[in-house]
Amino acid sequence: MASVQWHSRGRKYESEWQGCHLEGSAVEFSDYHPLKAITVTDSKSRRGGRKGSTSSTSSSSSSVALDPLSSMLDGTDPLSLFAAASETPTLPHSISAGELGRKRQEKEEEVGLDFEPWSSKRGEILSRFTTTEKLSINLFMGSDKSKAASPSSAVSEKVRTRLEELDDLEEGSQRELLNLSQQEYVNRIEELNQSLKEAWGSDQKVKALKIVIQCSKLLSDTSVIQFYPSKFVLITDILDTFGGLVYDRILTMCADPHPLPESFSADEVNDTAKETCLNWFFKIASIRELVPRLYVEAALLKCNRFLAKCGIQETLQRLTAMIRGIGDPLVAVYARAYLCRVGMEVAPHLKDSLNKNFFDLLASFRQIHGESVQNQLGLQRVEIPIYLTLYSPAIHWILQCVAYRAPEVLLTEMMDRCKKLGNNALLLNSVMWAFRAEFVATRATDFIGMIKDCDEAGFPKHLLFASLGRSLSCADPPESERLSILNEAWKVITKVRGPRDYINCAEIWVEFTCRHFTKREVNTVLADIIKHMTPDRAFEDAYPQLQSVINKILPYFHDFSVLFSMEKFLPFLDMFQKDSVRVEVCKSIMEVFIRHQQEATRDPVILNALLHICKTMHDSVNALTLDDEKRSLALLINGFIRMVSFGRDFEQQLSFCVEARATFCNLEPVIIHLIHTVNQLAMETRRVMKGNHSRKTAAFVRACAAYSFITIPSLTSIFSRLNLYLLSGQVALANQCLSQADAFLKAAVSILPEVPRTISIEGKQRSSEPFFLEFINNFLSTLLVVPDHPEQGVLYLVRGLLNMVQDYTWEDNSDAKVRVYISALPLLAAMSQESYLYTIPKVDSNETLYGGDPKFIAEINKLCETLIGQVLDHLKTLGRDEGVRRQCGLAFSLFGCLLAHGDLRNNKLNQLAVNLWNLSHKHGFCETRTSVRTLEYIKHQAQLADMSHLSDITARLSLQSRA
Amino acid sequence: MSVSLDIRLKRANKVYHEGERLSGVLVISTRDALQHQGVSLSLEGLVNLQLSSKSVGVFEAFYNSVKPIQLVSSNMEVVKPGKVPAGRTEIPFEFPLQAKGSKVLYETYHGVFVNIQYTLRCDMRRPLLAKDLSKSCEFMLHCQPQKPKLPPSPVEFSITPETLQNVKERTSLPKFLIKGHLDATSCAITRPLTGELVVERSEVAIKSIELQLVRVETCGCAEGYARDATEIQNIQIAEGDVCHGLSIPIYMVFPRLFTCPTLETTNFKVEFEVNIVIVLHDDHLITENFPLKLVRV
């Protein structure tokens, strides 16, 4: 095809703009609104009620009759159907989800959420009571046979085995596992739990019961006493599983005609189920040993519901009394804890047995200091204070159950009873733990007195103060006593010797101090902590506690100037010498700062401290840091930078940015943020000067530009660099810094060849092409207002850009290059207008520089012709099979470009346009709808003045035949 | 096997009383139609007596086991010879429970030397080459409620070294005082044995306190009889050195089958006793015996 001559179409932007305005068409709102519900007066009744499902239905007040969504859900929606299905327990041997859910619901109804559940204590106990000593599991099988002290030796073998069958796990086998480490022991117990479930699943009910009995027997063994609380937790898990299995099994037996209602009574239970239940109880009643019998019966407590109305109550009372038979005080107290726990779960309204349990505990309290306990401790070489702490979880739990929603009178009575017992530190501790914090707080002074009276040799005092502190951190003591309480408590705490004990206690009291006192007291406390923790680098072992101190202080000091004016705060931070912890702490401080700092600040104290903290975070970044971690650090630092403002003192702000850049050079997002900040600073200056820069401000904005210019190259992400160059260039232009703008844009053009063909986005390799094209289009639109450099040729930047595009190694089979060419045409067309579409105030664009000089226009036209020539060449190469579709698309977009920007009065262009139209329709890949609309547009345009030439074009454009 | 025979009694707990009707269904499930020569049901109640080897010579015990006493026996043909169709066939039946002659239906009891047992047995005779099928099923008999002769009265006890019998060296005994009471020694069999026990003081730590339920079975007649006491069960009520001065509950459920109301007949007797066994840490064993009278009320 011969070379074409380009003529840009003359544009009158003003009038076109007005012509483009849509006519406002009035909408009558009362008539119709798409979002308004259709109100229908006769509501259709729904088929198939929802059967009490609580799922939210789509309609509420207005009856939407024809809502497609609700009609889909006609009847029961799938979720509630599913729930309904699981409500009827179909699998006999498994705990169905519905049942579990119901249990939970029940619990929530009767025991409020304010009751700390056992599950949360579990983990704590397991992690606290550990041992390095060797443990043994002794599952004695038939050990009773050797115990021939009974007066009758003539019992026939048949009867004997029948009776002892229950004690045997496997006939005649005896397994004793010695020398287990703690972990092995835990695994062993877990295995037993598994084999219990398996036995149950395979219908070996007797074997399951044997396993449970054997496990609960382990609870009467107090060798390796430090591990006892954990052992209790592990084994009661098994008991809970067992209790659930039996209950569910019997419940499914009752479901025969129809499932039992939630609150069934014993009368509704059928005979078979009752008989099965009775059988279980008879079997359990014949268990020889006290402890297993007690535990297994407690595990099945809930099953009493099937037999009699007040069965649970009677059984609870009986079991409570039965515990008196346990001689070892530790075993007994844990048995009580289990009973209370089961009681709370099954029948939380039965308070009597809980209280009875507690009073029995008090009555047998002296056993703890009894002779047999002393002997045992001597044998196991366990100190009394350690031994006493073993009781804490159980007594805490019992007291928590007792005190839950208990009246004040009862609590006072309990207190008095505790007071009467000698050496009651252990009880006192649990009282403070378990009773309502308000109750303890109002009597805080009394408690301090009692703590002081306690025997020094027994329960460690710092634990008592820790418990008191815990209560005081949730409830407030009377205003007048607060200072004396703090003084009294701290007097004791500061004397605690071991740094570990000290910090555990001090950490708790920090909360109280922060809550009620000013920075002065908090500062004193911090100083004391530093004093205790510095010798021998004790802080190294106490990072979690120190961290929690910080976390407790932060919520109370939202004013960071106060926080940092505490002398000891930064020295306290210096104690975190392990990098990971240090960064953690810094992060938490920054988070609080970002959340609570309302307005930007210039307070030097805050800035210095935070800069220090941010630097710490930044310095932790190394080659191994994860991307996510970097991102979150950068986010925090950016948050800080955003909060720094020096008001009208722009220069100081800039110098802060310079400092920040030096400090945070490793975090790219921070650098990017800094560049944006500086650009914003330049624009802010322009706004303040209302566009008329003085000499001083001009120098300042040039300094800003220089800042950006030297900062951008340090970024690694190519697109960040490109976009920032462009943006900074725009900012420089807006501030009339022409040479700077030129430099930015030139720099952008010069790094274009570096753009890789693929970039990694969220860990995936993606083609960079769409981003590249987007950038170039953005760039082109900026170029319209950039005046040509006086020393360089006409359209220096445009040419430079196009040359770069030409030399860039595009992907094979890509039309991107040609698309750039096509999108450059509108720019060139816009440049050849007399007055431009947009300009920058106080910057002369090419329109004024050249004033529509014909030479300039000719230059532009020449460039256009070259571009069109290139496009046409490319179109020719696409003539073959697979390129046809692309050819069609490209031809159509070039046609569109000609139509919009070319002067079609020119015959050659006119002809070219028609040819392109035909080319794009030649192979039938054009979307008919687009073609039709284009034609319509042309016809519409042809009616306008000056555009009549378009009408004969329309005659020559034919639509694609549908054949 | 493709054929199964089962007896299902109407009552889930299988407990019946004299004079009642024992009813239920016979369930035959078979995959194919089944040829048979009649199905019959038989009901039998037996007392089995056995002499212990302790009382007589071993061989004598073997051969001279006392003749079983039949309490009830009846037989009936349920289905005439013919065919049972494939699938599940249920045949209801009903037996009157009436003692033979002037005999009484004793309560079901499984002991060592005395056994009282009631069984229902179903037999299906089949033609040559096929095994006869049979199935038996035990059911429980409870006697009619008896009226307690005496109102239950608590029995106090107090155990000290001085109250003990059968002591060889009284001086070596440690000092102790254990007090308590049983709520009654005439007990309803369906109710647990209850009471309380307090260790007032003890020089030596206590290792364990147990309740031992003992059956005393007597066989024979006036001229020669054998009386044997054997343990039924042993229930621990205290373990370890229990708190002194704090009452410990005595509580024991009478096991089913292994206990029955105290029984006295011309040929045999079944009686029960409970021992409170206290084991001290130095392995001293102290036992206090209480005869019980069990009744069904």
Side-chain angles (χ1 to χ4, degrees):
Chain A
M1 210 177 277
S3 71
V4 268
Q5 282 188 335
W6 173 264
H7 294 283
S8 300
R9 184 158 73 91
R11 304 287 289 270
K12 293 187 184 69
Y13 292 120
E14 273 295 302
S15 55
E16 279 180 44
W17 173 245
Q18 271 157 16
C20 281
H21 271 311
L22 283 175
E23 282 174 50
S25 62
V27 178
E28 273 186 70
F29 285 105
S30 61
D31 197 19
Y32 165 77
H33 189 273
L35 294 180
K36 202 175 167 193
I38 306 161
T39 326
V40 178
T41 38
D42 58 335
S43 61
K44 197 170 73 180
S45 66
R46 291 254 176 86
R47 273 178 291 127
R50 254 156 235 251
K51 282 179 193 158
S53 85
T54 51
S55 69
S56 62
T57 54
S58 50
S59 67
S60 47
S61 54
S62 69
S63 64
V64 184
L66 289 171
D67 183 350
L69 280 178
S70 59
S71 64
M72 284 278 286
L73 293 176
D74 203 352
T76 323
D77 66 288
L79 272 181
S80 50
L81 257 182
F82 182 71
S86 64
E87 240 162 82
T88 51
T90 43
L91 300 170
H93 302 315
S94 66
I95 304 167
S96 64
E99 172 61 22
L100 275 179
R102 203 180 314 152
K103 267 188 206 155
R104 211 165 296 138
Q105 194 186 356
E106 216 173 71
K107 221 158 124 192
E108 277 165 8
E109 272 165 16
E110 288 167 345
V111 182
L113 291 172
D114 48 341
F115 187 76
E116 192 188 356
W118 174 253
S119 50
S120 68
K121 302 246 175 193
R122 236 188 120 252
E124 192 191 323
I125 296 177
L126 282 180
S127 58
R128 192 169 144 208
F129 297 98
T130 56
T131 181
T132 50
E133 285 190 42
K134 294 294 178 192
L135 300 155
S136 64
I137 297 184
N138 193 350
L139 300 175
F140 358 62
M141 311 307 149
S143 63
D144 289 1
K145 282 176 192 166
S146 56
K147 196 182 163 111
S150 56
S152 60
S153 54
V155 183
S156 80
E157 207 48 37
K158 180 189 136 213
V159 176
R160 165 156 267 169
T161 42
R162 226 170 159 168
L163 284 172
E164 287 175 355
E165 174 179 53
L166 291 176
D167 284 350
D168 294 356
L169 188 58
E170 279 147 33
E171 213 74 40
S173 72
Q174 173 158 359
R175 276 197 296 175
E176 184 165 11
L177 303 157
L178 293 168
N179 282 333
L180 296 172
S181 75
Q182 184 184 325
Q183 189 53 46
E184 283 166 337
Y185 191 94
V186 173
N187 295 343
R188 217 30 96 150
I189 298 279
E190 184 45 38
E191 271 171 36
L192 281 172
N193 203 353
Q194 282 307 319
S195 50
L196 164 68
K197 284 180 197 159
E198 271 164 32
W200 188 269
S202 57
D203 224 25
Q204 294 171 276
K205 305 273 157 32
V206 176
K207 186 180 174 192
L209 180 59
K210 280 178 196 165
I211 294 175
V212 173
I213 294 173
Q214 294 305 325
C215 288
S216 29
K217 257 186 201 176
L218 297 175
L219 284 176
S220 56
D221 170 27
T222 53
S223 55
V224 194
I225 208 158
Q226 308 92 307
F227 186 63
Y228 191 85
S230 294
K231 182 157 82 176
F232 169 80
V233 168
L234 294 171
I235 290 172
T236 50
D237 279 354
I238 296 186
L239 286 166
D240 289 345
T241 314
F242 179 70
L245 289 172
V246 173
Y247 182 83
D248 291 338
R249 165 99 182 103
I250 297 176
L251 197 67
T252 49
M253 295 176 88
C254 302
D256 198 11
H258 44 81
L260 282 179
E262 182 60 36
S263 56
F264 63 88
S265 72
D267 304 336
E268 299 166 71
V269 179
N270 65 29
D271 285 349
T272 327
K274 271 187 179 157
E275 187 58 23
T276 315
C277 194
L278 262 179
N279 257 330
W280 278 111
F281 284 125
F282 270 107
K283 268 180 205 165
I284 293 163
S286 68
I287 297 173
R288 204 193 83 82
E289 283 173 75
L290 174 65
V291 174
R293 183 155 27 95
L294 182 79
Y295 271 100
V296 178
E297 198 165 354
L300 296 195
L301 183 66
K302 199 176 176 187
C303 295
N304 280 296
R305 280 184 81 184
F306 296 112
L307 292 181
K309 196 179 161 212
C310 48
I312 292 181
Q313 191 177 2
E314 283 166 9
T315 313
L316 263 178
Q317 280 168 357
R318 185 166 54 77
L319 293 179
T320 305
M322 208 161 127
I323 297 177
R324 292 177 167 195
I326 301 178
D328 189 306
L330 189 66
V331 177
V333 82
Y334 274 92
R336 287 190 196 287
Y338 185 65
L339 195 60
C340 288
R341 185 178 126 204
V342 178
M344 273 310 261
E345 256 165 50
V346 175
H349 54 280
L350 298 176
K351 295 276 180 201
D352 286 354
S353 63
L354 295 175
N355 297 347
K356 184 83 174 55
N357 255 313
F358 181 64
F359 294 140
D360 271 5
L361 170 72
L362 294 185
S364 61
F365 207 69
R366 60 176 184 274
Q367 288 281 99
I368 294 176
H369 300 281
E371 201 176 321
S372 38
V373 170
Q374 301 292 345
N375 292 343
Q376 201 185 5
L377 295 185
L379 220 60
Q380 294 197 30
R381 295 201 196 88
V382 176
E383 305 266 329
I384 281 279
I386 292 178
Y387 176 69
L388 288 180
T389 52
L390 298 179
Y391 284 86
S392 304
I395 299 184
H396 286 351
W397 180 262
I398 296 172
L399 276 172
Q400 190 191 328
C401 293
V402 169
Y404 181 66
R405 294 195 181 159
E408 198 89 343
V409 191
L410 182 68
L411 299 185
T412 323
E413 190 197 335
M414 303 240 166
M415 274 275 294
D416 292 342
R417 290 216 188 192
C418 294
K419 267 188 216 168
K420 277 179 204 147
L421 281 175
N423 201 351
N424 51 7
L426 179 59
L427 274 176
L428 199 58
N429 185 36
S430 295
V431 165
M432 288 187 287
W433 256 83
F435 282 14
R436 276 190 292 273
E438 297 79 31
F439 180 86
V440 177
T442 46
R443 293 165 180 73
T445 322
D446 288 354
F447 273 102
I448 288 187
M450 282 190 273
I451 294 174
K452 277 184 176 166
D453 293 341
C454 281
D455 183 6
E456 189 65 54
F459 201 78
K461 267 192 191 175
H462 63 89
L463 287 185
L464 292 174
F465 271 103
S467 305
L468 183 61
R470 201 182 307 275
S471 297
L472 293 184
S473 58
C474 336
D476 304 335
E479 178 111 41
S480 54
E481 296 172 18
R482 287 175 191 168
L483 189 63
S484 66
I485 289 172
L486 182 65
N487 282 333
E488 287 295 336
W490 209 266
K491 229 186 267 170
V492 179
I493 296 167
T494 194
K495 279 184 204 139
V496 175
R497 287 227 183 76
R500 174 175 282 270
D501 294 341
Y502 169 81
I503 190 68
N504 279 332
C505 195
E507 175 220 330
I508 292 164
W509 280 86
V510 167
E511 174 93 29
F512 177 71
T513 318
C514 293
R515 222 170 134 102
H516 301 297
F517 300 97
T518 59
K519 72 168 193 181
R520 200 181 124 244
E521 286 81 4
V522 177
N523 196 36
T524 320
V525 167
L526 288 182
D528 194 55
I529 296 179
I530 295 174
K531 201 177 94 196
H532 274 82
M533 301 310 285
T534 316
D536 301 329
R537 300 177 68 80
F539 51 77
E540 283 179 344
D541 299 324
Y543 286 137
Q545 289 88 339
L546 293 176
Q547 215 174 332
S548 123
V549 169
I550 294 282
N551 288 337
K552 280 175 181 158
I553 292 178
L554 287 176
Y556 292 98
F557 291 91
H558 290 164
D559 186 348
F560 273 68
S561 57
V562 177
L563 180 68
F564 289 120
S565 64
M566 255 187 266
E567 273 166 37
K568 294 293 178 183
F569 188 75
L570 288 179
F572 190 86
L573 285 187
D574 287 340
M575 284 205 291
F576 296 100
Q577 295 194 351
K578 192 172 151 199
D579 270 349
S580 56
V581 186
R582 207 175 157 82
V583 172
E584 257 334 284
V585 172
C586 291
K587 273 166 91 175
S588 50
I589 296 176
M590 284 316 294
E591 270 159 21
V592 173
F593 176 77
I594 289 170
R595 195 166 334 125
H596 294 294
Q597 187 70 19
Q598 298 293 340
E599 46 201 47
T601 177
R602 57 182 298 171
D603 183 335
V605 179
I606 297 183
L607 290 191
N608 267 331
L610 287 181
L611 208 56
H612 172 74
I613 287 168
C614 287
K615 186 168 159 46
T616 313
M617 294 200 293
H618 168 264
D619 291 351
S620 74
V621 174
N622 56 31
L624 295 176
T625 314
L626 294 172
D627 279 352
D628 277 345
E629 174 72 6
K630 279 193 209 168
R631 230 194 313 272
S632 72
L633 290 179
L635 212 64
L636 291 174
I637 297 178
N638 283 347
F640 163 59
I641 293 173
R642 210 171 291 132
M643 278 301 163
V644 176
S645 165
F646 292 89
R648 294 293 278 272
D649 194 348
F650 291 150
E651 293 194 11
Q652 188 150 13
Q653 185 96 33
L654 183 62
S655 69
F656 171 78
C657 286
V658 173
E659 194 187 342
R661 181 179 62 190
T663 318
F664 306 125
C665 57
N666 284 332
L667 285 171
E668 207 150 283
V670 179
I671 300 295
I672 293 175
H673 184 76
L674 283 171
I675 296 171
H676 282 301
T677 311
V678 170
N679 278 335
Q680 199 197 350
L681 202 55
M683 292 312 280
E684 190 68 10
T685 317
R686 181 175 174 274
R687 193 182 61 81
V688 170
M689 301 305 290
K690 300 199 173 64
N692 300 315
H693 281 299
S694 70
R695 200 154 171 206
K696 201 175 152 201
T697 58
F700 178 72
V701 294
R702 280 201 288 274
C704 288
Y707 179 96
S708 302
F709 193 72
I710 56 168
T711 312
I712 294 171
S714 68
L715 299 173
T716 54
S717 157
I718 182 84
F719 281 106
S720 306
R721 260 189 287 165
L722 284 173
N723 287 323
L724 283 172
Y725 271 135
L726 179 59
L727 182 73
S728 307
Q730 286 164 346
V731 170
L733 262 187
N735 284 299
Q736 301 126 42
C737 307
L738 295 185
S739 60
Q740 278 80 1
D742 225 33
F744 277 120
L745 298 177
K746 227 187 279 178
V749 171
S750 68
I751 60 164
L752 279 180
E754 291 173 28
V755 176
R757 273 159 59 174
T758 55
I759 49 170
S760 148
I761 297 164
E762 288 166 359
K764 282 184 202 144
Q765 288 297 316
R766 293 271 177 80
S767 164
S768 64
E769 211 177 89
F771 301 95
F772 198 31
L773 286 183
E774 186 191 311
F775 171 76
I776 288 180
N777 286 338
N778 196 357
F779 195 82
L780 285 173
S781 59
T782 309
L783 283 183
L784 177 64
V785 290
V786 182
D788 276 346
H789 197 278
E791 285 162 24
Q792 310 282 0
V794 179
L795 298 179
Y796 168 69
L797 279 171
V798 181
R799 278 171 203 277
L801 178 71
L802 290 174
N803 285 341
M804 282 300 182
V805 168
Q806 189 169 23
D807 295 342
Y808 184 75
T809 45
W810 295 94
E811 264 177 82
D812 302 335
N813 288 324
S814 156
D815 301 325
K817 182 162 81 170
V818 181
R819 289 201 180 276
V820 174
Y821 290 160
I822 294 176
S823 47
L825 286 175
L827 168 72
L828 292 168
M831 279 180 153
S832 54
Q833 303 302 324
E834 260 172 55
S835 75
Y836 283 0
L837 180 55
Y838 45 85
T839 48
I840 293 177
K842 301 197 184 288
V843 175
D844 294 330
S845 305
N846 285 341
E847 57 174 336
T848 25
L849 288 187
Y850 296 110
D853 187 350
K855 265 198 229 159
F856 176 63
I857 302 291
E859 198 73 23
I860 289 177
N861 289 348
K862 221 162 84 193
L863 200 53
C864 290
E865 280 148 25
T866 324
L867 289 179
I868 292 178
Q870 292 269 349
V871 177
L872 293 179
D873 285 348
H874 184 75
L875 281 176
K876 257 183 239 165
T877 62
L878 286 178
R880 257 149 270 136
D881 336 309
E882 71 278 3
V884 179
R885 183 181 282 270
R886 280 157 57 202
Q887 187 191 42
C888 150
L890 280 179
F892 198 76
S893 45
L894 186 55
F895 169 77
C897 186
L898 287 186
L899 185 67
H901 303 287
D903 186 356
L904 294 185
R905 278 173 302 197
N906 179 295
N907 275 341
K908 281 222 169 145
L909 274 186
N910 198 326
Q911 182 58 43
L912 176 65
V914 173
N915 286 348
L916 283 170
W917 173 272
N918 290 338
L919 181 64
S920 63
H921 285 76
K922 192 161 131 198
H923 297 285
F925 286 118
C926 229
E927 226 186 300
T928 325
R929 217 148 113 226
T930 326
S931 309
V932 171
R933 287 181 67 174
T934 314
L935 269 183
E936 269 166 18
Y937 168 76
I938 300 172
K939 278 176 194 156
H940 176 73
Q941 288 285 308
Q943 288 163 8
L944 298 176
D946 307 341
M947 294 293 212
S948 48
H949 58 280
L950 286 177
S951 52
D952 54 274
I953 289 191
T954 40
R956 294 165 64 193
L957 302 180
S958 59
L959 275 177
Q960 180 176 339
S961 65
R962 296 207 174 228
Chain B
M1 197 145 99
S2 59
V3 192
S4 74
L5 198 59
D6 199 10
I7 302 172
R8 304 247 166 99
L9 293 180
K10 215 170 209 170
R11 293 189 188 163
N13 57 5
K14 298 183 179 176
V15 172
Y16 293 86
H17 299 89
E18 184 166 2
E20 285 179 339
R21 284 168 185 282
L22 176 70
S23 58
V25 285
L26 207 61
V27 181
I28 307 170
S29 24
T30 166
R31 214 186 299 155
D32 313 303
L34 182 74
Q35 187 77 42
H36 67 90
Q37 296 180 327
V39 181
S40 64
L41 269 175
S42 60
L43 171 93
E44 190 166 48
L46 275 184
V47 181
N48 273 305
L49 300 176
Q50 204 179 10
L51 292 178
S52 74
S53 55
K54 208 167 69 179
S55 318
V56 275
V58 179
F59 288 102
E60 236 179 319
F62 209 78
Y63 294 111
N64 286 2
S65 63
V66 187
K67 247 174 85 183
I69 306 158
Q70 204 171 43
L71 299 174
V72 61
S73 168
S74 58
N75 210 317
M76 67 165 148
E77 175 128 50
V78 187
V79 189
K80 293 241 161 67
K83 254 189 168 181
V84 181
R88 200 178 139 104
T89 313
E90 292 194 1
I91 305 159
F93 62 84
E94 210 173 63
F95 269 106
L97 278 173
Q98 215 63 57
K100 239 177 151 184
S102 60
K103 291 199 174 90
V104 197
L105 292 185
Y106 303 129
E107 188 157 329
T108 301
Y109 167 71
H110 291 203
V112 184
F113 304 109
V114 179
N115 263 300
I116 306 171
Q117 207 167 356
Y118 296 85
T119 45
L120 190 60
R121 187 183 156 95
C122 169
D123 285 291
M124 178 192 268
R125 289 177 302 283
R126 296 171 68 188
L128 280 173
L129 300 175
K131 243 190 189 168
D132 287 358
L133 291 176
S134 80
K135 169 89 186 176
S136 59
C137 146
E138 183 178 357
F139 63 91
M140 315 309 145
L141 204 101
H142 281 179
C143 42
Q144 300 297 346
Q146 304 148 308
K147 275 198 183 132
K149 283 172 192 151
L150 294 167
S153 56
V155 179
E156 303 277 345
F157 60 87
S158 163
I159 314 171
T160 61
E162 286 71 37
T163 63
L164 298 180
Q165 300 160 342
N166 296 329
V167 187
K168 281 177 195 138
E169 286 175 79
R170 205 171 286 270
T171 46
S172 70
L173 267 180
K175 287 203 166 39
F176 58 84
L177 169 60
I178 293 162
K179 279 186 172 175
H181 68 269
L182 289 178
D183 289 337
T185 50
S186 169
C187 309
I189 197 164
T190 48
R191 308 284 314 153
L193 173 76
T194 52
E196 263 185 354
L197 177 146
V198 186
V199 180
E200 294 289 356
R201 56 178 181 271
S202 167
E203 270 183 0
V204 175
I206 285 165
K207 200 178 187 179
S208 173
I209 301 177
E210 288 152 25
L211 295 177
Q212 189 183 37
L213 183 63
V214 172
R215 51 169 105 72
V216 183
E217 294 163 317
T218 315
C219 301
C221 43
E223 306 84 76
Y225 61 89
R227 189 171 190 272
D228 293 280
T230 49
E231 177 186 297
I232 302 175
Q233 68 175 10
N234 195 335
I235 297 290
Q236 189 183 38
I237 56 165
E239 178 184 292
D241 190 12
V242 288
C243 190
H244 293 180
L246 199 63
S247 68
I248 296 164
I250 291 175
Y251 181 90
M252 178 167 65
V253 177
F254 292 113
R256 295 190 289 191
L257 293 180
F258 303 111
T259 51
C260 66
T262 304
L263 191 60
E264 225 169 298
T265 70
T266 45
N267 301 38
F268 64 93
K269 275 201 275 190
V270 180
E271 292 155 309
F272 298 92
E273 291 173 358
V274 69
N275 289 327
I276 295 178
V277 183
I278 298 149
V279 189
L280 297 183
H281 220 264
D282 52 7
D283 282 335
H284 269 105
L285 195 87
I286 302 151
T287 308
E288 184 82 9
N289 180 274
F290 300 92
L292 297 178
K293 173 148 178 65
L294 297 189
V295 287
R296 186 168 292 281
V297 287

